[in-house]
Amino acid sequence: MGLFDKLVTLFGLRKQEVKVLVVGLNNSGKTTVLNHFKSEDDKSTEIVPTVGFNIEKFKNQNVGFTALDMSGQGRYRDLWEFYYKDCQGIIFVVDSSDRLRLAVVRHELDLLLQHPDVSSRALPILFLANKMDQRDALSSVKIASGLGLDRILDKPWHICASNAITGEGLEEGVTWFTQQVRQVGQPGNRPNRTGPLASGKNN
Amino acid sequence: MAFKRDKKEEEDGGGNPFENIEKTSVLQEARAFNDTSVNPRKCTHILTKVLYLLNQGEILGTTEATEVFFAMTKLFQSKDVVLRRMVYLGIRELSSIAEDVIIVTSSLTKDMTGNEALYRAAAIRALCSITDVTMLQAIERYMKQAIVDKNPAVSSAALVSSLHLAKTAGELVKRWVNEAQEAFSSDNVMVQYHALGLMYHIRKTDRLAVIKLVSRLTKQGLKSPFAVCLLIRIACRLLEDDDSAPGTDSTLLSFIESCLRHKTELVIYEAAHAMVNLRRTTARELAPAVSVLQLFCSTSKPPLRFAAVRTLNQVAMSHPSAVTACNLDLENLITDSNRSIATLAITTLLKTGAESSVDRLMKQIASFVSEISDEFKIVVVQAIRALCTKFPRKHSVLMNFLSAMLRDEGGLDYKASIADTIITIIESNPEAKETGLAHLCEFIEDCEHTSLAVRILHLLGREGPKTKQPSRYIRFIYNRVILENAAVRGAAVAAMAQFGAQCPDLLENVQVLLARCQMDSDDEVRDRATYYYTILALSKRNLYNSYITESLQVSIPALEKSLHQYTLNASDTPFDMKSVPLAAVEPLVLENAPQKGAPEGTLLSTPAAPQRLGVSKEESALELLSNIPEFAPLLPQLGPIFRTSEPVELTESETEYVVRCIKHCFARHLLLQFDCLNTLSDQLLENVRVSLEPAEGYRILRELPIPKLPYNETCSAFCLLEFPEELTASTGTFGATLAYMVKDCDPATGLPDSDDGYDDTYMVEDVEVNLADQVQRVWKGNWAAAWEEAANLCELEDTYALTSMRSLQEASTNIVQFLGLQPADRSERVQEGKSSHTLYLAGVFRGGHDVLVRAKLALADGVTMQLTVRASNPDVAELVTSAVG
Ligand SMILES: Nc1nc2c(ncn2[C@@H]2O[C@H](COP(=O)(O)OP(=O)(O)OP(=O)(O)O)[C@@H](O)[C@H]2O)c(=O)[nH]1
Ligand SMILES: [Mg+2]
């Protein structure tokens, strides 16, 4: 077995399988986002607040995703960290119309970034500024600055606006994400920031 | 039997692949659950080991359990059916130990509503084990759907889980009654059975609703034999309730009787079992049930034979005639190849048989007693105990048999039951005493159970000094001091001291031995030896009585509390022993070891014995009162609760309001607690109190009404009174009326229709305060000595004619109950055929006045009684004599 094969096996990429953690406050739309990616047969017609977590599987561009859809209610947020260790990427969903709780989102994000299982790794993070269709929704640029995303220097991240009900913006996000995971483990991989705000500062 | 099986397995050469597994290494392996890609076969195997450990009684700490639990949650990503089902089991096992188990709620609700049929039922059961009350609302909808699901496994799982949930969330589960009803009409036998279980549970507290349910179903005829069995049990429960309406009884009985002709053996057996166990069964109803059991005794199916003979064994004492009818069939079972059946058959015959057959049957049993398990050996021992009471003359044969059994191998339960039996024989049959004690002495020479050795030594100390030759026991007892552990040595020292105090001839020898014990290596043993040695050295009989022969009579937990309180407030006054509440004397319970409580939702067909609690009534009452903010500050003034009496019903059953009165007696105060229940669903009661017309001399100090009494709730109102100054005026009758304000309300919500209400009253029975409420029983080990010592106290004597009493036993029982004093020397039991009898009673009146009573009874056209009272207070003596008159 060559070095490359070994690395590939090591990161569980032989069959292009990736495990992602989907987090964000309650009611931000995590379950709705994942429901969008599921095949027609598996789709739930009705979405209720998640209690604890749920595991969903779907495929995108030949990559098999195992997504852990965590509950965002305050009572369960402490439990996210049990699952940081063995994930290969994070999708962080934000309700862009929930201006009041943006500070809460920032606090939860800080906790996540400081956690030893996350801070030490170059995990790709996809931010979804969800519910873009709402009238009072903040733009993705505003969300990125509100959360202080430019502080994240050691991880590839990307933010895009989305509407989980129609699926708008989700393809763009997940395509970026898939690329990132493919790159992980390959020599010369570097943290790579993209997105409206990041691209402006990144050269 | 378990013991036998283990041995066999050893011989087979380690068939158990998990024999050598070890907790730490299994927990280490369980980390594999976190691997990025799950290997289902490997993980299933590891999970099996975890479950095996838990089932072997291995204890996981919270952290360990939580770690395994969260690792296990990651296995939800695998689609492997076997692994997933193992995960459900894992969740159930760990749910009570690990933290944050609700994390799997959504995953489980997804599985229980999903398409994979193999997941659904198991997911429901797992879900219920992790759900707490706060989460229930969230899953209610799914539960309701699952109850009526087409798939019987799903429906059954949901019904059974609902029963479990009802433990913590009874009110919520009650709302699922319509779903349960729908499931009940299922064609599946299990679903119908489980649905009936839930329907009954929901209605359980509403007697009328249960009666309606049962009478509807008994007419309808059920498809499921299991449901019929349950219905029989419910019917029995209704019949056993004392206050059942006369009309329903006969229909219920004839329903049970009709089940004797059911086409399923299971139902036939259940009905027969129910009939013979019912308290009110008469000979006429019994006959058909017994002939069913008789038939079963001779079938070729061992389980049926076993069930039948076991039932006959259980009722052998209550219905001997029914069992004698089966004697021939039972004789045939003596040689049954199934030893359990044979044991039960023999012991049943022993219980009912004639004196002449005892020897033959004992020989038969002796031939295989070594082959049966401890559990069945205990059955044999119990049969022997019953025989000894029945045929006192046979005690030497039986005692020999018992002592042979004592020498055999066996566990603590078995040995304890033998020792108990010997002790019972000694107590009931004076002739057997010396032989019995000799057997026990021999037994403790070689007894590996500390608790048992201690009990026997205590018994030797109590009974030995009263035998003809007390000296022979000293050697046995002193041997323990040389050979045993500290607990046994301590007990031996105490036992020797009893001989020293009661047998003047032996005093000198005992003192020499006690002096040696003062060199013991154990503190407790040395302390005891020093204590007894010092008291015995003083040669004062009254000291012997109070400090050696009589045990400490205060309640130990209360003593500890009082001493602690005393040390907190430094004071110059010495500690007053009289301020400590006395220990309640346990009434003598000989038969029926306490049964284990049945789990929620099960309905045992034989009524369970009342629970015996470790705390006294007084202690639990005190705890209750100190939790009431209005009373807590008063309690220090009142002092400890002297006595709490049994609750008395002040209303008939099935009335609009149910009121019970509990009397708490303090040294100078009486606190009446009125437990009130409102059974009207359209009324909310406010400001509920019992207004009293106290007897002369009593003063009401405080009343505490119930602010709000909603439908179907029991709350307590209180009334605090001061006893009359004159002790002799302290017995009396208080007129009582329940007074309250009614607000009409909507039965569905319990909310009042308007803010206006009207005042109303309701007559209840009088409250009676009698002597027994004001005395505490005291057990005197040496009543005669105490009586002698009390000779200089105040003595009153009077003679009474108890014309309504028909026997000495009846008179004795009534007097003991009426005076509330403790009989000594088992004098409450009148020997059969005697025409006179003497009762020795002892107790303490509130305020710490000792009372001793001697009642000489003689049979003469009713019973005549000469009552002599010695009390430390003349008023108390007068109160006792006047209470009887
Ligand atoms: N208008 C709008 N509504 C959305 C969008 N995404 C989700 N929702 C709605 O937001 C609500 C919450 O969505 P969920 O997917 O349950 O949110 P969640 O993040 O999974 O919430 P928790 O499981 O409680 O943590 C649902 O009523 C969705 O229909 C969106 O892009 N636009
Ligand atoms: Mg969700």
Side-chain angles (χ1 to χ4, degrees):
Chain A
M1 214 193 267
L3 177 66
F4 180 72
D5 285 348
K6 258 191 193 151
L7 283 171
V8 170
T9 334
L10 198 63
F11 288 94
L13 291 176
R14 182 181 286 283
K15 278 179 266 162
Q16 296 285 354
E17 284 288 338
V18 18
K19 206 188 252 184
V20 295
L21 198 62
V22 186
V23 295
L25 300 195
N26 49 326
N27 198 44
S28 55
K30 299 175 293 296
T31 308
T32 318
V33 166
L34 290 175
N35 199 43
H36 173 81
F37 289 111
K38 288 200 283 190
S39 68
E40 276 316 312
D41 308 342
D42 288 352
K43 270 201 193 4
S44 326
T45 45
E46 168 197 49
I47 286 165
V48 295
T50 311
V51 180
F53 79 106
N54 238 326
I55 297 187
E56 302 293 353
K57 294 199 168 195
F58 60 89
K59 261 196 159 30
N60 187 280
Q61 300 166 41
N62 270 333
V63 177
F65 280 87
T66 298
L68 270 75
D69 173 15
M70 303 305 295
S71 166
Q73 279 171 55
R75 182 174 170 193
Y76 306 108
R77 282 180 217 151
D78 293 344
L79 306 177
W80 294 351
E81 64 182 35
F82 283 100
Y83 300 90
Y84 291 159
K85 211 185 192 107
D86 50 324
C87 72
Q88 291 144 308
I90 294 174
I91 298 180
F92 200 110
V93 184
V94 184
D95 176 350
S96 26
S97 65
D98 188 357
R99 291 162 187 248
L100 269 179
R101 289 206 295 170
L102 201 61
V104 184
V105 178
R106 181 166 178 152
H107 176 68
E108 291 296 342
L109 176 62
D110 286 348
L111 288 181
L112 179 136
L113 292 172
Q114 283 156 20
H115 193 277
D117 290 344
V118 175
S119 64
S120 58
R121 299 159 65 204
L123 285 173
I125 308 182
L126 171 65
F127 291 91
L128 289 175
N130 196 32
K131 304 203 184 178
M132 61 189 261
D133 54 307
Q134 298 275 30
R135 211 157 43 86
D136 48 354
L138 292 169
S139 71
S140 57
V141 180
K142 285 234 171 83
I143 299 264
S145 67
L147 296 179
L149 296 187
D150 53 345
R151 294 171 301 156
I152 311 177
L153 300 172
D154 57 348
K155 297 182 182 32
W157 60 266
H158 179 82
I159 184 164
C160 57
S162 66
N163 176 344
I165 292 181
T166 58
E168 206 174 329
L170 293 182
E171 284 308 324
E172 177 199 330
V174 90
T175 308
W176 174 86
F177 199 80
T178 315
Q179 266 166 12
Q180 289 304 313
V181 212
R182 281 212 173 110
Q183 281 169 25
V184 171
Q186 288 180 16
N189 174 48
R190 285 245 175 104
N192 172 11
R193 280 162 285 145
T194 49
L197 189 78
S199 53
K201 293 195 173 175
N202 197 24
N203 31 359
Chain B
M1 241 174 286
F3 178 61
K4 284 266 132 62
R5 197 171 331 112
D6 286 347
K7 254 196 180 153
K8 224 191 200 133
E9 259 165 22
E10 267 163 41
E11 284 156 16
D12 289 350
N16 180 358
F18 293 140
E19 201 149 47
N20 296 318
I21 63 171
E22 206 247 325
K23 183 169 92 171
T24 33
S25 66
V26 173
L27 292 181
Q28 188 77 32
E29 285 180 67
R31 303 235 164 110
F33 300 164
N34 292 317
D35 291 352
T36 316
S37 62
V38 173
N39 176 341
R41 276 201 50 190
K42 185 171 140 203
C43 290
T44 307
H45 190 64
I46 298 171
L47 210 44
T48 313
K49 288 190 199 169
V50 174
L51 291 177
Y52 177 83
L53 282 179
L54 288 170
N55 280 302
Q56 291 295 300
E58 187 78 57
I59 311 275
L60 291 195
T62 313
T63 328
E64 288 169 333
T66 309
E67 197 172 306
V68 180
F69 189 87
F70 274 84
M72 197 172 67
T73 62
K74 295 173 184 169
L75 300 179
F76 269 102
Q77 63 181 292
S78 163
K79 290 241 152 80
D80 186 275
V81 178
V82 178
L83 177 59
R84 180 71 62 88
R85 289 170 63 96
M86 281 307 276
V87 170
Y88 297 143
L89 291 180
I91 290 175
R92 284 168 66 180
E93 290 293 329
L94 291 170
S95 62
S96 54
I97 328 170
E99 286 176 335
D100 294 317
V101 291
I102 31 109
I103 185 89
V104 288
T105 305
S106 266
S107 306
L108 290 173
T109 37
K110 187 173 145 201
D111 286 352
M112 87 183 248
T113 51
N115 301 327
E116 177 59 83
L118 284 172
Y119 290 166
R120 300 182 57 208
I124 292 173
R125 292 173 197 266
L127 183 63
C128 287
S129 71
I130 57 150
T131 302
D132 60 28
V133 186
T134 56
M135 290 311 306
L136 252 185
Q137 298 264 341
I139 65 160
E140 176 171 21
R141 193 161 53 107
Y142 303 111
M143 286 303 291
K144 281 177 156 184
Q145 272 165 18
I147 291 176
V148 296
D149 200 278
K150 293 247 166 356
N151 181 330
V154 172
S155 178
S156 265
L159 287 162
V160 173
S161 299
S162 306
L163 261 176
H164 287 297
L165 289 174
K167 257 180 282 181
T168 47
E171 285 309 307
L172 189 87
V173 172
K174 275 189 183 159
R175 304 210 292 246
W176 307 348
V177 67
N178 289 337
E179 282 75 15
Q181 190 84 43
E182 188 178 332
F184 182 73
S185 49
S186 160
D187 280 341
N188 184 286
V189 290
M190 266 301 157
V191 174
Q192 188 172 54
Y193 167 57
H194 289 143
L196 178 59
L198 184 58
M199 279 156 64
Y200 169 66
H201 187 85
I202 290 174
R203 291 174 171 85
K204 207 163 69 176
T205 49
D206 182 352
R207 221 190 116 75
L208 240 93
V210 176
I211 292 180
K212 259 191 236 158
L213 177 74
V214 172
S215 69
R216 179 161 58 84
L217 297 184
T218 48
K219 274 181 222 124
Q220 176 182 338
L222 306 179
K223 194 172 152 90
S224 159
F226 305 116
V228 180
C229 287
L230 181 56
L231 196 56
I232 293 174
R233 291 186 182 192
I234 300 174
C236 287
R237 175 66 62 89
L238 283 175
L239 283 167
E240 291 290 8
D241 277 356
D242 294 324
D243 51 352
S244 81
T248 50
D249 276 18
S250 59
T251 31
L252 291 175
L253 266 180
S254 58
F255 160 69
I256 300 177
E257 206 171 356
S258 72
C259 291
L260 289 173
R261 296 180 293 278
H262 199 272
K263 56 182 184 301
T264 324
E265 278 163 344
L266 184 73
V267 175
I268 299 174
Y269 169 69
E270 186 67 43
H273 176 83
M275 289 299 258
V276 296
N277 274 300
L278 272 178
R279 262 185 278 139
R280 57 181 62 196
T281 309
T282 62
R284 190 191 62 78
E285 293 148 352
L286 204 58
V290 171
S291 48
V292 161
L293 293 175
Q294 188 172 10
L295 213 65
F296 283 175
C297 278
S298 47
T299 66
S300 58
K301 298 177 187 165
L304 269 185
R305 290 206 304 277
F306 177 78
V309 68
R310 183 156 173 266
T311 303
L312 288 171
N313 188 294
Q314 283 163 350
V315 299
M317 297 317 280
S318 49
H319 298 300
S321 59
V323 178
T324 9
C326 306
N327 265 359
L328 250 127
D329 311 80
L330 289 170
E331 288 280 351
N332 285 334
L333 294 180
I334 290 181
T335 48
D336 200 294
S337 59
N338 182 319
R339 290 305 188 204
S340 308
I341 296 177
T343 311
L344 287 168
I346 295 178
T347 51
T348 313
L349 286 168
L350 278 175
K351 285 182 189 174
T352 58
E355 193 162 359
S356 56
S357 58
V358 169
D359 294 294
R360 177 178 61 93
L361 291 168
M362 292 310 289
K363 217 174 262 165
Q364 183 78 37
I365 265 201
S367 69
F368 66 81
V369 74
S370 58
E371 293 169 39
I372 57 179
S373 70
D374 271 13
E375 194 186 332
F376 282 96
K377 283 183 185 160
I378 292 176
V379 175
V380 174
V381 174
Q382 281 164 350
I384 295 178
R385 179 190 297 204
L387 274 182
C388 288
T389 353
K390 211 165 123 193
F391 305 124
R393 276 186 302 167
K394 280 281 166 208
H395 72 82
S396 65
V397 184
L398 299 169
M399 200 73 110
N400 277 335
F401 190 82
L402 285 174
S403 76
M405 284 177 107
L406 262 182
R407 270 178 252 123
D408 277 353
E409 283 201 11
L412 175 60
D413 284 345
Y414 168 51
K415 289 292 167 77
S417 83
I418 302 175
D420 272 343
T421 304
I422 296 185
I423 294 172
T424 318
I425 299 174
I426 292 173
E427 293 188 338
S428 59
N429 187 350
E431 276 168 49
K433 191 190 250 174
E434 308 253 334
T435 13
L437 289 178
H439 285 311
L440 291 175
C441 281
E442 195 187 312
F443 171 57
I444 52 169
E445 293 276 83
D446 188 23
C447 164
E448 74 255 47
H449 307 293
T450 300
S451 62
L452 209 51
V454 168
R455 262 170 66 194
I456 291 173
L457 283 168
H458 178 76
L459 180 83
L460 289 176
R462 208 178 73 198
E463 301 292 339
K466 298 178 198 151
T467 56
K468 284 191 212 88
Q469 243 189 311
S471 60
R472 56 192 292 197
Y473 300 104
I474 299 280
R475 181 177 58 86
F476 287 103
I477 299 174
Y478 188 66
N479 276 348
R480 298 304 100 213
V481 176
I482 305 170
L483 300 167
E484 296 281 358
N485 61 40
V488 178
R489 294 203 303 274
V493 166
M496 282 193 296
Q498 300 295 329
F499 286 84
Q502 295 175 53
C503 313
D505 304 354
L506 296 175
L507 180 60
E508 205 174 318
N509 288 337
V510 167
Q511 283 297 64
V512 173
L513 297 176
L514 285 178
R516 276 188 221 159
C517 296
Q518 291 181 50
M519 326 292 190
D520 198 282
S521 58
D522 183 79
D523 289 352
E524 169 77 19
V525 178
R526 266 197 323 272
D527 286 355
R528 285 192 189 199
T530 313
Y531 171 86
Y532 289 122
Y533 182 86
T534 316
I535 296 175
L536 288 172
L538 294 172
S539 310
K540 288 213 178 106
R541 285 217 60 88
N542 61 336
L543 289 183
Y544 292 179
N545 282 340
S546 337
Y547 296 103
I548 300 181
T549 15
E550 302 302 342
S551 51
L552 196 62
Q553 279 159 353
V554 295
S555 132
I556 303 286
L559 176 62
E560 191 186 346
K561 246 184 245 164
S562 305
L563 281 172
H564 179 66
Q565 203 60 43
Y566 180 75
T567 53
L568 288 184
N569 327 322
S571 113
D572 293 336
T573 48
F575 180 75
D576 180 12
M577 199 66 171
K578 284 242 190 301
S579 70
V580 184
L582 297 177
V585 180
E586 289 277 340
L588 227 63
V589 182
L590 290 176
E591 303 298 325
N592 289 336
Q595 285 174 317
K596 289 200 186 87
E600 187 71 8
T602 54
L603 192 58
L604 295 177
S605 49
T606 33
Q611 263 184 330
R612 294 255 302 276
L613 298 172
V615 254
S616 74
K617 286 197 303 279
E618 286 75 17
E619 279 157 281
S620 35
L622 190 64
E623 211 178 311
L624 169 86
L625 295 177
S626 42
N627 279 328
I628 300 173
E630 286 81 352
F631 272 117
L634 289 176
L635 285 175
Q637 259 164 274
L638 301 181
I641 298 188
F642 182 69
R643 186 187 160 108
T644 292
S645 51
E646 290 294 331
V648 181
E649 304 285 340
L650 298 187
T651 47
E652 305 268 308
S653 56
E654 288 177 43
T655 46
E656 297 91 314
Y657 314 114
V658 180
V659 183
R660 293 189 326 163
C661 175
I662 299 171
K663 289 167 267 188
H664 305 285
C665 177
F666 295 81
R668 301 192 36 223
H669 299 86
L670 176 68
L671 177 64
L672 299 178
Q673 172 183 345
F674 298 102
D675 292 345
C676 307
L677 167 74
N678 170 12
T679 66
L680 298 179
S681 59
D682 56 354
Q683 284 194 356
L684 170 71
L685 305 186
E686 289 186 2
N687 194 25
V688 184
R689 65 217 175 273
V690 175
S691 73
L692 291 174
E693 298 155 30
E696 202 165 322
Y698 275 92
R699 217 154 53 89
I700 296 185
L701 297 183
R702 239 191 120 151
E703 280 187 285
L704 188 65
I706 304 168
K708 270 191 173 48
L709 184 60
Y711 162 61
N712 214 5
E713 266 179 40
T714 302
C715 301
S716 308
F718 292 92
C719 181
L720 179 66
L721 299 109
E722 193 177 35
F723 275 115
E725 209 57 49
E726 286 279 306
L727 283 187
T728 44
S730 63
T731 55
T733 305
F734 305 175
T737 319
L738 189 69
Y740 44 84
M741 173 191 270
V742 184
K743 284 187 178 170
D744 293 320
C745 62
D746 177 0
T749 61
L751 295 176
D753 299 334
S754 76
D755 276 346
D756 304 328
Y758 52 93
D759 286 320
D760 204 353
T761 57
Y762 186 85
M763 284 298 285
V764 296
E765 310 249 332
D766 293 346
V767 176
E768 274 180 45
V769 181
N770 36 38
L771 184 64
D773 296 325
Q774 305 175 59
V775 296
Q776 187 64 274
R777 295 156 165 254
V778 172
W779 192 84
K780 293 277 183 205
N782 192 345
W783 189 90
W787 182 251
E788 211 172 289
E789 212 181 296
N792 51 352
L793 301 182
C794 159
E795 179 177 306
L796 280 184
E797 194 168 87
D798 215 335
T799 312
Y800 307 83
L802 311 173
T803 41
S804 60
M805 302 290 166
R806 273 161 299 149
S807 72
L808 290 176
Q809 184 61 63
E810 186 187 351
S812 155
T813 312
N814 273 303
I815 293 162
V816 170
Q817 215 171 45
F818 187 77
L819 296 178
L821 297 168
Q822 174 66 30
D825 301 339
R826 288 179 289 286
S827 63
E828 76 278 16
R829 284 195 238 162
V830 179
Q831 283 209 334
E832 201 109 359
K834 289 273 172 73
S835 63
S836 67
H837 180 74
T838 309
L839 255 174
Y840 306 108
L841 305 170
V844 174
F845 190 81
R846 67 180 163 87
H849 308 294
D850 293 317
V851 190
L852 290 166
V853 170
R854 187 185 63 198
K856 290 185 171 168
L857 306 171
L859 208 54
D861 190 22
V863 174
T864 56
M865 167 171 79
Q866 185 189 43
L867 190 80
T868 315
V869 186
R870 288 181 181 173
S872 51
N873 179 319
D875 287 343
V876 173
E878 196 185 324
L879 194 62
V880 175
T881 47
S882 64
V884 178

